[in-house]
Amino acid sequence: MSSATQTAEKAPIVLNKKTIALIFSALMAAMFLATLDQTIVSTAMPTIVGELDGVEHQAWLVTIYLLAMTIVMPLYGKFGDMWGRKVIFLVAIAIFVVGSFGSGMAQTFWELIAWRGFQGLGGGGLMILSQAIIADIIPASERGKYMGPLGGLFAISSVLGPVLGGFFTQHMDWRWCFWINVPIGIIAFVIALFALKLPSHKSDKKVDVLGIIFMVAATSQLILVTSWGGHDYDWNSPTIIGLIIGTVVSALIFVYIETKVSNPIIPIFLFKNKTFVLSTVIGLLLGLGMFSAMAFLPTFMQMASGTDVTGSGLLMLPMMAGVMLTSIVSGFIVSKTGKYKVYPLFGTLIAGLALAWMTTLTADTSMVLIGCMIFTMGFGLGLVMQIIVLVIQNSVAPELVGTATSTNNYFREIGASVGTALFGSIFTSRLADKVGEAMSQAPGGGAGGGGGAPTTDSLTPESVASLPGPIHDLVVNAYADALAPSFWYMVPVFLVAFVLAWFLPQLKLSDVAGMVARGEAVYGDDMGGPTRGVTSADGESAATDSVTAGSMAAPGGSGTTGSMTAPGGSGTAPGGSTASSSLLSTNGASSSARTDGRARQRLSTVTVEDGKEPDKDQYRLK
């Protein structure tokens, strides 16, 4: 008997609107914490590193958080599938809160880095588990209504982070950039502790320790390559070359291990699933194009407009508005129509066109026009970001939702790291040339002349604002001339994603939540009652007190068949259906029969081949 069956028989969970609302509020708070902390440090960084004497190593403030968050994403997804998500989610919140408090109390730079890394270990879990838990409690056919607001929340926190960071630094203390997480985290923990009604499992599967080791090794080295390359070390330096070789070797060993172990962290057979592969690659390209392009735009806006670091965050509000608008609206439309393919198509196309539009940026471009550009970018991204997660979750068996969700997020973060590094290298190389050309035209001539013009290494909005008028204009123009054409290198990324979206299959969205499909929960009366998704042998609705299901797909083997069996039901009937328990009828009408407090109903056999596209009707109790 599977662990899911044991759990459902022991204590079936009832999903009603109140329970779902409470759970969703906890998930929103957790997601807000994780996404806010990716950006809140950016505006406070100069003050932090100056006070703690860490100017030379300030990049570590961002790198260590990104590194820690990325390497634990697949672990949270896998372990949640194995043991249940509630306890792991609470642990992730606790780690994040403790890490935030420790970061705020740090007295030295490297002490802050250590706490920041610890914080990232919790942040990765908050993002992954929030998305997976939504799949547990909300059917794919209705999930768009919930994924949309999460996408909007991501946009809000991305813009609010720099604003809050600047506010705390200027008017309070930079340590509040971390301490703000403590009360929010405690509230999220308490809500989750009492409202998060999720089953826990006992799994006898071995943890893939070797896979974890080489996955961490490959990811860590790749993040270091993208963070250090072209900044701390030249791209052709022994350090970077060694890290690249180490990344490739570790990745190859990791893939080999995953093909041999019985319970891999990232099952290789998932990559036989066309929907999963296309959605994951689109997510990777999305991270590569989006984060790389947007990383340097705020700085340009500061230089061109003279806005301070706090106000520069407000200049990104149009992008937030675009993401919120389309992510929420598209989510509701998908829930209503069940059709999702058109949104990644239009989203990638619009984002690519917006990026092409940004290649026309000049130092004289008005803030209104720049706002229109980034609104268009956000409009396109909002059509793709959360829809891709929904598509992936809908394309795998319910037992693999956490693993599939974490894998998608993992590759998106990898794409963001690689894209930012590549774009940054292209941009800074062009900037050095353009600034040199500009300075040769400055009064006094010479590449380094021109009234003490800054070098590219020290080119900040503050230093540029302090330059004499003619030199200021030359430097801003040079910055725009270097940045705008660099966007052309990212346009093909979105075009490739657009082409891939054409081949994305349009699967039917499941109308049963993950926990119900796994037999761990039933719906409350206000959600359609226990009979939702369950029909008797004659097609009539059969009332149930609990729904019990066995394993749908064993990740280890191909063509694995697991029977969904009602408590007390008999074996498999000819034709592949589970033989039903008797349904009592009165005057020819079907009625529920309760024995020992459990209803007995006919449940269909589920067959899912590893990596194959599952028929969503398989997930529904019949």
Side-chain angles (χ1 to χ4, degrees):
M1 183 179 293
S2 71
S3 57
T5 304
Q6 294 171 333
T7 302
E9 285 185 340
K10 189 180 353 181
I13 296 169
V14 179
L15 293 176
N16 53 45
K17 291 182 178 179
K18 181 180 179 180
T19 299
I20 291 174
L22 285 173
I23 293 175
F24 189 67
S25 64
L27 300 183
M28 289 281 282
M31 282 286 287
F32 180 77
L33 287 173
T35 53
L36 180 71
D37 224 66
Q38 289 182 287
T39 57
I40 196 171
V41 177
S42 59
T43 48
M45 191 181 298
T47 302
I48 295 173
V49 298
E51 183 176 319
L52 299 181
D53 298 323
V55 176
E56 294 182 0
H57 306 286
Q58 61 180 304
W60 272 104
L61 268 178
V62 176
T63 301
I64 192 64
Y65 185 83
L66 175 64
L67 174 59
M69 186 177 67
T70 304
I71 63 177
V72 296
M73 280 183 173
L75 305 186
Y76 277 110
K78 183 65 178 183
F79 295 159
D81 285 342
M82 289 176 61
W83 302 319
R85 292 184 238 284
K86 178 173 181 176
V87 173
I88 299 176
F89 186 66
L90 292 173
V91 168
I93 297 177
I95 291 175
F96 189 85
V97 170
V98 172
S100 298
F101 182 77
S103 296
M105 296 297 294
Q107 299 302 309
T108 67
F109 179 76
W110 292 110
E111 183 182 347
L112 173 60
I113 294 303
W115 281 113
R116 182 81 168 142
F118 188 76
Q119 186 186 32
L121 296 178
L126 297 182
M127 296 181 67
I128 296 303
L129 294 172
S130 294
Q131 293 177 345
I133 290 171
I134 287 179
D136 283 341
I137 64 173
I138 305 294
S141 58
E142 300 175 14
R143 206 171 300 155
K145 294 184 291 187
Y146 295 83
M147 300 295 278
L150 284 181
L153 184 70
F154 178 84
I156 292 173
S157 60
S158 297
V159 174
L160 189 60
V163 176
L164 283 177
F167 175 81
F168 289 143
T169 302
Q170 291 180 2
H171 302 288
M172 298 172 67
D173 191 316
W174 62 262
R175 297 178 186 276
W176 278 101
C177 293
F178 303 105
W179 287 339
I180 188 177
N181 297 325
V182 176
I184 300 176
I186 291 175
I187 292 172
F189 186 92
V190 172
I191 295 175
L193 180 63
F194 294 103
L196 208 59
K197 297 181 179 180
L198 300 175
S200 58
H201 311 146
K202 288 183 179 180
S203 176
D204 54 1
K205 297 178 181 178
K206 293 182 179 179
V207 175
D208 180 16
V209 177
L210 275 179
I212 294 174
I213 291 173
F214 282 97
M215 185 270 293
V216 170
T219 306
S220 301
Q221 292 177 98
L222 178 60
I223 297 293
L224 292 178
V225 167
T226 59
S227 299
W228 288 351
H231 301 285
D232 298 81
Y233 301 94
D234 292 333
W235 285 105
N236 60 353
S237 67
T239 300
I240 297 299
I241 293 175
L243 285 171
I244 292 174
I245 295 173
T247 300
V248 174
V249 171
S250 298
L252 291 175
I253 295 175
F254 171 71
V255 172
Y256 176 78
I257 291 172
E258 299 303 273
T259 62
K260 299 299 180 181
V261 297
S262 59
N263 187 35
I265 291 295
I266 300 179
I268 299 301
F269 68 76
L270 280 176
F271 294 93
K272 298 177 183 177
N273 183 321
K274 180 181 178 181
T275 301
F276 176 84
V277 172
L278 289 173
S279 300
T280 299
V281 175
I282 291 172
L284 185 147
L285 294 174
L286 197 67
L288 194 152
M290 175 179 69
F291 289 101
S292 60
M294 304 313 296
F296 298 91
L297 193 58
T299 305
F300 167 73
M301 295 168 73
Q302 292 175 43
M303 289 185 174
S305 67
T307 307
D308 60 23
V309 292
T310 305
S312 65
L314 297 176
L315 296 176
M316 299 297 289
L317 283 174
M319 181 179 177
M320 178 193 75
V323 172
M324 285 187 63
L325 174 65
T326 52
S327 63
I328 293 174
V329 171
S330 64
F332 273 90
I333 295 176
V334 168
S335 295
K336 185 175 182 179
T337 64
K339 306 297 182 182
Y340 55 76
K341 181 174 178 176
V342 65
Y343 301 103
L345 274 171
F346 277 107
T348 52
L349 180 61
I350 292 172
L353 292 175
L355 210 54
W357 189 9
M358 290 181 193
T359 63
T360 64
L361 276 173
T362 67
D364 299 323
T365 304
S366 68
M367 288 297 108
V368 173
L369 187 57
I370 293 177
C372 292
M373 292 178 181
I374 61 177
F375 173 82
T376 306
M377 169 67 79
F379 192 95
L381 294 175
L383 292 173
V384 190
M385 289 171 59
Q386 297 303 316
I387 297 297
I388 286 298
V389 177
L390 169 62
V391 171
I392 279 187
Q393 291 177 341
N394 186 65
S395 71
V396 300
E399 285 78 11
L400 296 173
V401 162
T403 301
T405 302
S406 63
T407 301
N408 174 258
N409 280 266
Y410 172 78
F411 279 103
R412 189 183 66 187
E413 292 297 330
I414 293 296
S417 299
V418 173
T420 302
L422 291 177
F423 186 85
S425 181
I426 294 169
F427 167 65
T428 53
S429 176
R430 291 180 56 85
L431 183 62
D433 295 338
K434 293 296 181 181
V435 169
E437 294 174 8
M439 290 305 98
S440 66
Q441 304 171 20
T455 64
T456 54
D457 291 335
S458 60
L459 200 62
T460 65
E462 293 78 9
S463 64
V464 171
S466 64
L467 293 173
I471 299 177
H472 171 273
D473 293 341
L474 286 171
V475 171
V476 172
N477 282 323
Y479 199 97
D481 291 342
L483 179 64
S486 298
F487 288 135
W488 280 120
Y489 291 94
M490 294 296 112
V491 172
V493 171
F494 284 102
L495 294 181
V496 172
F498 172 75
V499 172
L500 293 178
W502 272 106
F503 298 96
L504 203 60
Q506 173 64 61
L507 298 179
K508 188 174 183 179
L509 296 179
S510 172
D511 57 8
V512 176
M515 289 201 304
V516 176
R518 295 192 299 265
E520 298 164 345
V522 294
Y523 290 111
D525 291 338
D526 59 355
M527 296 290 292
T531 60
R532 177 175 170 180
V534 181
T535 56
S536 65
D538 61 0
E540 296 291 334
S541 178
T544 63
D545 290 323
S546 66
V547 177
T548 310
S551 174
M552 287 194 175
S558 178
T560 305
T561 301
S563 296
M564 303 178 85
T565 309
S570 54
T572 303
S577 296
T578 305
S580 62
S581 301
S582 59
L583 289 172
L584 302 181
S585 58
T586 303
N587 297 328
S590 177
S591 64
S592 61
R594 304 192 178 195
T595 304
D596 297 328
R598 297 191 187 97
R600 306 178 183 276
Q601 68 270 4
R602 181 177 180 234
L603 302 176
S604 62
T605 301
V606 173
T607 304
V608 179
E609 287 192 36
D610 294 341
K612 300 296 184 182
E613 296 287 354
D615 178 358
K616 298 319 294 178
D617 286 336
Q618 303 186 113
Y619 296 170
R620 299 176 189 159
L621 305 174
K622 297 188 176 180

